[in-house]
Amino acid sequence: MPKLIAMQPKRLGAIAAATIMLAAFGGAEALAASPRATENKMILVARQDPGTLDYVTSNLTALRLWIPSNVVEPLVYFEKDGTVTPGVAESWTISDDRLTYVFTIREAKFSNGAPLTVEDVIYSLNTMKSSPVLQNSAAYNAVTAIEKVDDRTVKVTLSRPSQAFWAGMGSTAGLIQPEAAAGSIATDPIGTGPYKLVKYTTNSAFEFTANPEYWGPAPAIKDVTVRIVTDGTAGLNALEAGEVDAIPVNTIDLWEQLVKREFDKKFTLVTDPQIGEPTYAVINQKIDPELRQAIAGTLDRQAYNDAFGAAWGAENTCTFALPNQPWYQPENAESCPYPYDLEGAMKTILEKGFNTLPLEYASLSDVPDLSLPADIMVPTLQAAGLNVTRNAIDLARYSQLIFQGRPPQFDITVMSGDAEPGQWSCPTPDKAGWSTYCSADYTDALAQADVATSDEEYLALMQKAADILRKDAVIVPLIAKKGVGLFDVDLKGFTEPKVAVAVELRALHW
Amino acid sequence: MSTIAPTARPIRPKRRLQLNASLVVGVALTIGFLVIAIVSFFWLPSNPNIPVIKDRLLPPGTAGHLLGTDVLGRDVIAQLMVGSRTSILVGAGGASIALILGTITGLAAAAYGKIADELISRGADIMLSIPGMVTALVLAATMGSGALTTILALSAFFTPSFTRVIRSAALSVLQEDFITAARLYGRGKLFILARHVLPNIAGVMIVQFTLYFAAGILTEAGLSYLGVGVTRPQISWGMMLNEAQQQVGISSPLAVWPGLAIVFVVLGLNLLGDGLRDVLDPKLKRRTA
């Protein structure tokens, strides 16, 4: 005992010293600012490489996260509170009958130093009007003329009022590019945005720097690098090691790991529906409607949600939408015409003889957040008595088979992507979306919504369209996933995207 | 001389013991592997493809799931057992096709004159200069991924190696006196190759087969890990590794089990090959005698 008592002060001293050291070094590590903060830079992580930066012909999320809004601006911006603020157009007037839009173009320069002209605006709008991307061209369905009024004014005339046109002018359909640089859009898009693209290296990185010609206040962070790290775990490791400052979009397959490794405590976790995605099954429209409904009845949404172990960021739904869209509804008896009922589905399959029909499930093998649902769906369909085989293919073959396959080259698949209801409209069968889904009723409902003259009318018609989509059991939503971002605690200013899903780089600051 | 013999002779039993030990371990591991694969056709702890979400990510040692479950609640042991079938199918399939093609081309190169030898040998050189993994990726891209594609890819880049080894062994046998005797007796080339050469190079063929069987399993696991091998409902250990990759931060053992399975099976086949070579190789026999 005396020895123990005699040693206690020393031990206490050692413990105290160790505690101070730990606090000093541990605390310093926890509080250490990113080295990029002092250099006014930041490094972000992207999970996917878009392959092309041509936003006219491609609507890949991997592209739309970075180029719109940051490099190329639309005519106007729609703010979160519903107000409309100037973009490339510094002012505008809309006729009372909503058939004539007159935009006054600001005196500004593109990031390559060329002056912004009315001719560039007319060229850009006409280019988007003929874009192969339906979300872009659909905004111009009612447009009959795009004309120059004077050197700073453009007039757009519509044949009927169109919600889609006005919404499009604040989205990718309204992006303005210089006609002279259109040839290099796939690798070096030019715009009037706060940043200019310095370099894009395929499968490696985007490098941005503040655009010296930008008409607005300069962004807080001058140089931004977006590293393309396809391995999600490697991206998280890089963030933990301080090699990067943020991962603005984390796919659902990482959410459970993210929480288990306490990234939500060590970094700023932001959740935002707008950069989220619905996950949905697509059933070939040619399949008997009763079989489609039976297949829809085998889908246990809670199982899909639980499989990702991240119920905090995903909600079960039967509506093709995200929670920030007013016609969205979570899974409930009213919004789900074909709720999970495996026994009922099995009975129908057996009674109607659907069990003898060979079905092919096209499965994307190299995208974890889509292969996991397939791992649940295929055995469940087989357990329900269906003769389903799984055709596992990579993204390149999937694009060829699913997006370009005419007639449809699959029976069932699962997808995750934009919550844009217009992508399923088909004014003519040849305009059908990638799944070749085409419903006259649904298209009509969307067309009626497009000419709505009030927000209430628009919402009611969009709800009607969503209902048609649900009952058709071709596009069968499973879960609505929020966008989940991780940011260095000192990197602040994340705001919801203004242009589609674009990460607003200009708003971020140390 | 009398002093050399006593010191040289005691080495022999020790060397033989070492060789036999490697053969015994190799045989034990390989038989264990084959037994597991055969048993999997008759019994499995549970369906390895049916998700049981409530049982997801159970740790090893859980009742009913000795090695735990994966992210969808599927039993790891059941998946490992079914994965062993794929390893046998692809590894043995690729090595067998390569053995057959390599034997035909190797014997032809050895027995049918200089032009045939040059054509076949240079062809093999060209094929060997193309990385096997690239061949597999190209085949997967054009034909789609799956067991058949992997077997074809394996046979494509194993065949030239078999050709070289068989050619070399056959050339050696063709120089023996009994071959000359057979020729003088009027036997044709095909008869000599089938009756005299093949039996004498059988040991080399068996050893090569075991080694390439192991290499096939490794390559298949690599391709499935990259997502261009087999896909569910087929199960591969490489696929299990791929699936476990996303769970490393959540459930690390998931990546350990298929990794260990690959290590033990490949080790077993390599030891078996080494042991068989020691037993079957006549030159080695002569050296040790």
Side-chain angles (χ1 to χ4, degrees), chain A residues 158-209:
Chain A
L158 278 61
S159 59
R160 55 172 169 78
S162 173
Q163 296 266 354
F165 170 73
W166 187 226
M169 294 305 99
S171 191
T172 50
L175 294 175
I176 304 302
Q177 59 169 313
E179 184 175 3
S184 59
I185 190 172
T187 53
D188 185 20
I190 303 288
T192 57
Y195 285 94
K196 69 174 185 178
L197 182 66
V198 179
K199 192 178 177 188
Y200 163 57
T201 311
T202 310
N203 287 315
S204 176
F206 299 88
E207 288 174 37
F208 301 97
T209 192

Short mmCIF file of all heavy atoms in Angstrom, two decimals, chain A residues 158-209:
data_model
loop_
_atom_site.label_atom_id
_atom_site.label_comp_id
_atom_site.label_asym_id
_atom_site.label_seq_id
_atom_site.Cartn_x
_atom_site.Cartn_y
_atom_site.Cartn_z
N LEU A 158 -45.30 30.72 -77.88
CA LEU A 158 -45.83 29.38 -77.64
C LEU A 158 -47.22 29.25 -78.27
O LEU A 158 -47.95 30.25 -78.39
CB LEU A 158 -45.95 29.11 -76.13
CG LEU A 158 -44.69 28.66 -75.38
CD1 LEU A 158 -43.57 29.68 -75.45
CD2 LEU A 158 -45.02 28.33 -73.93
N SER A 159 -47.56 28.04 -78.64
CA SER A 159 -48.89 27.80 -79.21
C SER A 159 -49.94 27.63 -78.12
O SER A 159 -51.13 27.76 -78.36
CB SER A 159 -48.85 26.54 -80.08
OG SER A 159 -48.44 25.44 -79.29
N ARG A 160 -49.49 27.32 -76.92
CA ARG A 160 -50.38 27.13 -75.77
C ARG A 160 -49.55 27.39 -74.51
O ARG A 160 -48.31 27.31 -74.56
CB ARG A 160 -50.93 25.71 -75.73
CG ARG A 160 -49.84 24.64 -75.75
CD ARG A 160 -50.37 23.25 -75.53
NE ARG A 160 -49.35 22.22 -75.80
CZ ARG A 160 -48.37 21.90 -74.97
NH1 ARG A 160 -48.23 22.54 -73.82
NH2 ARG A 160 -47.50 20.96 -75.29
N PRO A 161 -50.20 27.69 -73.40
CA PRO A 161 -49.43 27.86 -72.17
C PRO A 161 -48.69 26.57 -71.84
O PRO A 161 -49.18 25.47 -72.14
CB PRO A 161 -50.50 28.17 -71.11
CG PRO A 161 -51.69 28.63 -71.87
CD PRO A 161 -51.65 27.92 -73.18
N SER A 162 -47.50 26.68 -71.27
CA SER A 162 -46.72 25.48 -70.97
C SER A 162 -45.94 25.66 -69.68
O SER A 162 -45.02 26.48 -69.61
CB SER A 162 -45.76 25.17 -72.13
OG SER A 162 -44.91 24.13 -71.76
N GLN A 163 -46.31 24.85 -68.67
CA GLN A 163 -45.55 24.83 -67.42
C GLN A 163 -44.14 24.30 -67.69
O GLN A 163 -43.17 24.75 -67.12
CB GLN A 163 -46.24 23.90 -66.41
CG GLN A 163 -47.62 24.35 -65.98
CD GLN A 163 -47.59 25.16 -64.71
OE1 GLN A 163 -46.54 25.31 -64.08
NE2 GLN A 163 -48.73 25.71 -64.32
N ALA A 164 -44.07 23.32 -68.58
CA ALA A 164 -42.79 22.68 -68.86
C ALA A 164 -41.80 23.67 -69.47
O ALA A 164 -40.60 23.61 -69.19
CB ALA A 164 -42.99 21.49 -69.80
N PHE A 165 -42.30 24.59 -70.33
CA PHE A 165 -41.38 25.54 -70.96
C PHE A 165 -40.74 26.44 -69.91
O PHE A 165 -39.52 26.59 -69.86
CB PHE A 165 -42.12 26.40 -72.00
CG PHE A 165 -41.25 27.54 -72.48
CD1 PHE A 165 -40.19 27.28 -73.34
CD2 PHE A 165 -41.46 28.85 -72.04
CE1 PHE A 165 -39.36 28.33 -73.76
CE2 PHE A 165 -40.63 29.88 -72.45
CZ PHE A 165 -39.58 29.61 -73.32
N TRP A 166 -41.59 27.00 -69.05
CA TRP A 166 -41.05 27.95 -68.06
C TRP A 166 -40.11 27.21 -67.08
O TRP A 166 -39.04 27.72 -66.74
CB TRP A 166 -42.20 28.64 -67.34
CG TRP A 166 -41.81 29.74 -66.41
CD1 TRP A 166 -42.28 29.93 -65.15
CD2 TRP A 166 -40.90 30.83 -66.65
NE1 TRP A 166 -41.72 31.06 -64.59
CE2 TRP A 166 -40.85 31.62 -65.49
CE3 TRP A 166 -40.09 31.19 -67.73
CZ2 TRP A 166 -40.05 32.76 -65.36
CZ3 TRP A 166 -39.29 32.32 -67.61
CH2 TRP A 166 -39.28 33.10 -66.45
N ALA A 167 -40.52 26.02 -66.66
CA ALA A 167 -39.65 25.24 -65.76
C ALA A 167 -38.33 24.90 -66.46
O ALA A 167 -37.26 24.94 -65.85
CB ALA A 167 -40.36 23.96 -65.33
N GLY A 168 -38.42 24.61 -67.76
CA GLY A 168 -37.22 24.25 -68.52
C GLY A 168 -36.22 25.38 -68.63
O GLY A 168 -35.01 25.16 -68.70
N MET A 169 -36.73 26.64 -68.65
CA MET A 169 -35.81 27.78 -68.78
C MET A 169 -34.94 27.93 -67.52
O MET A 169 -33.94 28.63 -67.54
CB MET A 169 -36.59 29.06 -69.04
CG MET A 169 -37.31 29.07 -70.39
SD MET A 169 -36.19 28.74 -71.80
CE MET A 169 -36.49 27.00 -72.10
N GLY A 170 -35.33 27.28 -66.44
CA GLY A 170 -34.52 27.29 -65.23
C GLY A 170 -33.82 25.97 -65.00
O GLY A 170 -33.28 25.72 -63.93
N SER A 171 -33.86 25.11 -66.02
CA SER A 171 -33.23 23.79 -65.88
C SER A 171 -32.29 23.55 -67.06
O SER A 171 -31.89 24.48 -67.76
CB SER A 171 -34.32 22.72 -65.79
OG SER A 171 -33.76 21.51 -65.42
N THR A 172 -31.96 22.30 -67.29
CA THR A 172 -30.97 22.02 -68.35
C THR A 172 -31.48 22.45 -69.73
O THR A 172 -30.68 22.80 -70.61
CB THR A 172 -30.62 20.52 -68.39
OG1 THR A 172 -31.82 19.76 -68.42
CG2 THR A 172 -29.80 20.12 -67.20
N ALA A 173 -32.81 22.45 -69.93
CA ALA A 173 -33.35 22.85 -71.23
C ALA A 173 -33.06 24.32 -71.54
O ALA A 173 -33.09 24.73 -72.70
CB ALA A 173 -34.86 22.59 -71.27
N GLY A 174 -32.77 25.10 -70.51
CA GLY A 174 -32.52 26.53 -70.72
C GLY A 174 -31.06 26.92 -70.63
O GLY A 174 -30.73 28.10 -70.51
N LEU A 175 -30.16 25.95 -70.70
CA LEU A 175 -28.72 26.26 -70.60
C LEU A 175 -28.23 26.98 -71.86
O LEU A 175 -28.59 26.60 -72.98
CB LEU A 175 -27.91 24.97 -70.40
CG LEU A 175 -28.14 24.24 -69.07
CD1 LEU A 175 -27.36 22.92 -69.05
CD2 LEU A 175 -27.74 25.11 -67.88
N ILE A 176 -27.41 28.00 -71.64
CA ILE A 176 -26.96 28.83 -72.77
C ILE A 176 -25.46 28.63 -73.02
O ILE A 176 -24.64 28.77 -72.11
CB ILE A 176 -27.24 30.33 -72.47
CG1 ILE A 176 -28.73 30.53 -72.17
CG2 ILE A 176 -26.77 31.20 -73.64
CD1 ILE A 176 -29.70 30.10 -73.27
N GLN A 177 -25.13 28.32 -74.26
CA GLN A 177 -23.74 28.07 -74.66
C GLN A 177 -23.39 28.95 -75.86
O GLN A 177 -24.27 29.37 -76.61
CB GLN A 177 -23.57 26.60 -75.03
CG GLN A 177 -24.49 26.17 -76.19
CD GLN A 177 -24.16 24.80 -76.74
OE1 GLN A 177 -23.00 24.51 -76.99
NE2 GLN A 177 -25.18 23.97 -76.93
N PRO A 178 -22.11 29.23 -76.08
CA PRO A 178 -21.73 30.00 -77.27
C PRO A 178 -21.75 29.11 -78.51
O PRO A 178 -21.22 28.01 -78.48
CB PRO A 178 -20.30 30.46 -76.94
CG PRO A 178 -19.78 29.48 -75.96
CD PRO A 178 -20.95 28.93 -75.21
N GLU A 179 -22.36 29.61 -79.55
CA GLU A 179 -22.48 28.81 -80.78
C GLU A 179 -21.10 28.45 -81.32
O GLU A 179 -20.88 27.33 -81.79
CB GLU A 179 -23.27 29.61 -81.83
CG GLU A 179 -23.52 28.81 -83.09
CD GLU A 179 -24.40 29.56 -84.11
OE1 GLU A 179 -24.76 30.72 -83.82
OE2 GLU A 179 -24.72 28.97 -85.14
N ALA A 180 -20.15 29.39 -81.20
CA ALA A 180 -18.82 29.17 -81.78
C ALA A 180 -18.07 28.03 -81.10
O ALA A 180 -17.18 27.43 -81.70
CB ALA A 180 -18.00 30.45 -81.68
N ALA A 181 -18.41 27.73 -79.84
CA ALA A 181 -17.68 26.68 -79.11
C ALA A 181 -18.48 25.39 -79.03
O ALA A 181 -18.12 24.48 -78.28
CB ALA A 181 -17.35 27.17 -77.71
N ALA A 182 -19.58 25.29 -79.77
CA ALA A 182 -20.45 24.12 -79.67
C ALA A 182 -19.73 22.83 -80.05
O ALA A 182 -20.05 21.76 -79.53
CB ALA A 182 -21.68 24.31 -80.54
N GLY A 183 -18.75 22.93 -80.91
CA GLY A 183 -18.04 21.73 -81.38
C GLY A 183 -17.27 21.02 -80.29
O GLY A 183 -17.00 19.81 -80.39
N SER A 184 -16.90 21.75 -79.24
CA SER A 184 -16.08 21.12 -78.20
C SER A 184 -16.88 20.86 -76.92
O SER A 184 -16.31 20.65 -75.85
CB SER A 184 -14.88 22.00 -77.88
OG SER A 184 -15.32 23.27 -77.44
N ILE A 185 -18.19 20.86 -77.03
CA ILE A 185 -19.04 20.74 -75.84
C ILE A 185 -18.82 19.42 -75.10
O ILE A 185 -18.95 19.37 -73.86
CB ILE A 185 -20.53 20.90 -76.24
CG1 ILE A 185 -21.41 21.04 -74.99
CG2 ILE A 185 -21.01 19.77 -77.11
CD1 ILE A 185 -22.85 21.38 -75.28
N ALA A 186 -18.44 18.38 -75.79
CA ALA A 186 -18.31 17.07 -75.13
C ALA A 186 -17.14 17.01 -74.16
O ALA A 186 -17.14 16.23 -73.21
CB ALA A 186 -18.16 15.97 -76.19
N THR A 187 -16.14 17.85 -74.39
CA THR A 187 -14.96 17.82 -73.51
C THR A 187 -14.70 19.15 -72.83
O THR A 187 -14.04 19.20 -71.80
CB THR A 187 -13.70 17.45 -74.32
OG1 THR A 187 -13.61 18.35 -75.44
CG2 THR A 187 -13.76 16.02 -74.82
N ASP A 188 -15.20 20.24 -73.42
CA ASP A 188 -14.89 21.56 -72.85
C ASP A 188 -16.10 22.48 -72.98
O ASP A 188 -16.10 23.43 -73.75
CB ASP A 188 -13.68 22.15 -73.60
CG ASP A 188 -13.24 23.46 -73.00
OD1 ASP A 188 -13.58 23.73 -71.82
OD2 ASP A 188 -12.56 24.24 -73.69
N PRO A 189 -17.14 22.22 -72.21
CA PRO A 189 -18.32 23.08 -72.29
C PRO A 189 -18.02 24.49 -71.78
O PRO A 189 -17.30 24.64 -70.79
CB PRO A 189 -19.34 22.37 -71.40
CG PRO A 189 -18.55 21.51 -70.49
CD PRO A 189 -17.30 21.14 -71.22
N ILE A 190 -18.55 25.47 -72.48
CA ILE A 190 -18.31 26.88 -72.13
C ILE A 190 -19.64 27.50 -71.71
O ILE A 190 -20.68 27.22 -72.30
CB ILE A 190 -17.77 27.65 -73.37
CG1 ILE A 190 -16.49 27.00 -73.90
CG2 ILE A 190 -17.57 29.13 -73.06
CD1 ILE A 190 -15.28 27.17 -73.04
N GLY A 191 -19.58 28.36 -70.73
CA GLY A 191 -20.80 29.04 -70.30
C GLY A 191 -20.48 30.34 -69.60
O GLY A 191 -19.34 30.82 -69.64
N THR A 192 -21.50 30.88 -68.96
CA THR A 192 -21.31 32.16 -68.25
C THR A 192 -21.30 31.96 -66.74
O THR A 192 -21.40 32.92 -65.98
CB THR A 192 -22.49 33.10 -68.59
OG1 THR A 192 -23.71 32.44 -68.24
CG2 THR A 192 -22.51 33.48 -70.06
N GLY A 193 -21.19 30.72 -66.28
CA GLY A 193 -21.31 30.41 -64.86
C GLY A 193 -20.15 30.87 -64.02
O GLY A 193 -19.14 31.38 -64.54
N PRO A 194 -20.25 30.70 -62.70
CA PRO A 194 -19.20 31.18 -61.79
C PRO A 194 -17.88 30.44 -61.92
O PRO A 194 -16.84 30.94 -61.48
CB PRO A 194 -19.82 30.94 -60.41
CG PRO A 194 -20.87 29.91 -60.62
CD PRO A 194 -21.39 30.12 -61.99
N TYR A 195 -17.91 29.26 -62.51
CA TYR A 195 -16.66 28.51 -62.70
C TYR A 195 -16.45 28.23 -64.18
O TYR A 195 -17.41 28.17 -64.96
CB TYR A 195 -16.71 27.18 -61.95
CG TYR A 195 -16.53 27.34 -60.46
CD1 TYR A 195 -17.63 27.44 -59.62
CD2 TYR A 195 -15.26 27.40 -59.88
CE1 TYR A 195 -17.48 27.59 -58.24
CE2 TYR A 195 -15.10 27.55 -58.51
CZ TYR A 195 -16.20 27.64 -57.70
OH TYR A 195 -16.03 27.81 -56.36
N LYS A 196 -15.18 28.03 -64.53
CA LYS A 196 -14.90 27.51 -65.86
C LYS A 196 -14.14 26.20 -65.70
O LYS A 196 -13.40 26.01 -64.73
CB LYS A 196 -14.13 28.50 -66.71
CG LYS A 196 -12.71 28.78 -66.30
CD LYS A 196 -12.07 29.68 -67.37
CE LYS A 196 -10.61 29.90 -67.07
NZ LYS A 196 -9.96 30.70 -68.11
N LEU A 197 -14.41 25.30 -66.63
CA LEU A 197 -13.76 24.00 -66.58
C LEU A 197 -12.35 24.15 -67.14
O LEU A 197 -12.16 24.55 -68.29
CB LEU A 197 -14.56 22.99 -67.42
CG LEU A 197 -14.05 21.56 -67.43
CD1 LEU A 197 -14.16 20.91 -66.06
CD2 LEU A 197 -14.81 20.73 -68.45
N VAL A 198 -11.36 23.83 -66.31
CA VAL A 198 -9.96 23.94 -66.76
C VAL A 198 -9.57 22.67 -67.50
O VAL A 198 -8.94 22.69 -68.55
CB VAL A 198 -9.02 24.14 -65.55
CG1 VAL A 198 -7.57 24.22 -66.00
CG2 VAL A 198 -9.41 25.39 -64.78
N LYS A 199 -9.98 21.52 -66.91
CA LYS A 199 -9.56 20.26 -67.51
C LYS A 199 -10.52 19.16 -67.09
O LYS A 199 -10.94 19.12 -65.94
CB LYS A 199 -8.14 19.92 -67.04
CG LYS A 199 -7.48 18.80 -67.80
CD LYS A 199 -6.07 18.61 -67.25
CE LYS A 199 -5.37 17.45 -67.94
NZ LYS A 199 -4.10 17.15 -67.28
N TYR A 200 -10.84 18.31 -68.03
CA TYR A 200 -11.62 17.12 -67.70
C TYR A 200 -10.85 15.91 -68.20
O TYR A 200 -10.56 15.79 -69.39
CB TYR A 200 -13.00 17.18 -68.38
CG TYR A 200 -13.72 15.85 -68.46
CD1 TYR A 200 -14.00 15.12 -67.30
CD2 TYR A 200 -14.12 15.32 -69.68
CE1 TYR A 200 -14.66 13.91 -67.36
CE2 TYR A 200 -14.78 14.11 -69.76
CZ TYR A 200 -15.04 13.40 -68.59
OH TYR A 200 -15.68 12.19 -68.66
N THR A 201 -10.45 15.06 -67.28
CA THR A 201 -9.72 13.85 -67.64
C THR A 201 -10.64 12.66 -67.37
O THR A 201 -11.03 12.43 -66.22
CB THR A 201 -8.43 13.70 -66.79
OG1 THR A 201 -7.72 14.92 -66.83
CG2 THR A 201 -7.56 12.58 -67.32
N THR A 202 -10.97 11.95 -68.44
CA THR A 202 -11.91 10.83 -68.32
C THR A 202 -11.46 9.86 -67.24
O THR A 202 -10.28 9.52 -67.14
CB THR A 202 -11.99 10.09 -69.68
OG1 THR A 202 -12.21 11.05 -70.68
CG2 THR A 202 -13.15 9.10 -69.69
N ASN A 203 -12.42 9.44 -66.44
CA ASN A 203 -12.19 8.48 -65.35
C ASN A 203 -11.17 8.96 -64.33
O ASN A 203 -10.61 8.16 -63.59
CB ASN A 203 -11.73 7.11 -65.90
CG ASN A 203 -12.88 6.38 -66.54
OD1 ASN A 203 -13.97 6.32 -65.98
ND2 ASN A 203 -12.65 5.83 -67.72
N SER A 204 -10.90 10.24 -64.31
CA SER A 204 -9.93 10.74 -63.34
C SER A 204 -10.45 11.95 -62.57
O SER A 204 -10.69 11.86 -61.37
CB SER A 204 -8.63 11.10 -64.06
OG SER A 204 -7.72 11.67 -63.15
N ALA A 205 -10.65 13.08 -63.24
CA ALA A 205 -11.03 14.28 -62.48
C ALA A 205 -11.57 15.39 -63.38
O ALA A 205 -11.31 15.43 -64.58
CB ALA A 205 -9.83 14.80 -61.72
N PHE A 206 -12.35 16.28 -62.73
CA PHE A 206 -12.71 17.58 -63.30
C PHE A 206 -11.89 18.61 -62.53
O PHE A 206 -11.75 18.49 -61.31
CB PHE A 206 -14.17 17.93 -63.02
CG PHE A 206 -15.20 17.01 -63.58
CD1 PHE A 206 -15.63 15.90 -62.87
CD2 PHE A 206 -15.80 17.28 -64.80
CE1 PHE A 206 -16.62 15.08 -63.36
CE2 PHE A 206 -16.80 16.46 -65.29
CZ PHE A 206 -17.20 15.36 -64.57
N GLU A 207 -11.39 19.61 -63.24
CA GLU A 207 -10.73 20.71 -62.52
C GLU A 207 -11.42 22.01 -62.92
O GLU A 207 -11.53 22.33 -64.10
CB GLU A 207 -9.24 20.76 -62.88
CG GLU A 207 -8.47 19.61 -62.25
CD GLU A 207 -7.04 19.55 -62.72
OE1 GLU A 207 -6.43 20.63 -62.90
OE2 GLU A 207 -6.54 18.43 -62.91
N PHE A 208 -11.88 22.74 -61.92
CA PHE A 208 -12.57 24.01 -62.16
C PHE A 208 -11.78 25.14 -61.52
O PHE A 208 -11.09 24.96 -60.52
CB PHE A 208 -13.96 24.00 -61.51
CG PHE A 208 -14.87 22.92 -61.99
CD1 PHE A 208 -15.01 21.73 -61.28
CD2 PHE A 208 -15.62 23.07 -63.15
CE1 PHE A 208 -15.87 20.72 -61.71
CE2 PHE A 208 -16.48 22.06 -63.60
CZ PHE A 208 -16.61 20.89 -62.87
N THR A 209 -11.90 26.32 -62.08
CA THR A 209 -11.38 27.51 -61.43
C THR A 209 -12.42 28.62 -61.60
O THR A 209 -13.26 28.57 -62.51
CB THR A 209 -10.01 27.94 -62.00
OG1 THR A 209 -9.45 28.91 -61.13
CG2 THR A 209 -10.12 28.50 -63.41
#
